Amino acid sequence: MDSKAIDDVITRFNQDMQYPSQKEIEFIKRNTALYFWQKLGRGKYWIMLFQVAEILSAIPPSQAASERVWSMYDFIHTRRNRLSSKKVTQSVQLYM
């Protein structure tokens, strides 16, 4: 997607969420951000933002957890193997 399309999606999201209803406010207060995106973010206009939110929510929030993930990548993806980045990621996910 080009930057114009991305700007359009973000603008649409901001317009839709500018004046949320009381029901939407209660839903947001009761649920996690990832749950919000899984339930509401898969709409026609927000699918790209849902994908970004899904990736960002997978990032560990602490330095130790991040170091652990990078250590697993280093362990699985050595210089001697020729695994693609997709295969390495799948292996790390299985290893976790």
Side-chain angles (χ1 to χ4, degrees):
M1 287 198 129
D2 61 352
S3 62
K4 173 82 170 102
I6 294 169
D7 287 343
D8 291 344
V9 170
I10 293 172
T11 301
R12 175 66 187 230
F13 175 78
N14 285 335
Q15 289 171 350
D16 289 349
M17 296 307 291
Q18 188 171 9
Y19 301 107
S21 67
Q22 189 62 33
K23 185 177 177 181
E24 291 170 330
I25 292 170
E26 290 303 316
F27 178 83
I28 292 167
K29 286 180 181 179
R30 283 192 318 265
N31 298 293
T32 64
L34 183 58
Y35 186 78
F36 168 83
W37 284 106
Q38 288 172 340
K39 291 296 177 188
L40 300 178
R42 292 185 184 194
K44 180 176 18 174
Y45 301 108
W46 301 347
I47 189 70
M48 185 180 8
L49 295 178
F50 164 72
Q51 292 167 346
V52 170
E54 195 173 41
I55 291 167
L56 291 176
S57 67
I59 297 173
S62 70
Q63 181 179 353
S66 297
E67 292 293 331
R68 207 172 310 119
V69 170
W70 288 116
S71 177
M72 284 184 239
Y73 269 98
D74 191 40
F75 175 73
I76 291 171
H77 190 60
T78 63
R79 289 186 201 157
R80 288 179 262 168
N81 68 32
R82 294 175 185 232
L83 295 173
S84 67
S85 60
K86 182 179 178 182
K87 292 287 185 188
V88 172
T89 300
Q90 289 172 344
S91 298
V92 168
Q93 289 171 345
L94 286 174
Y95 189 73
M96 291 169 63

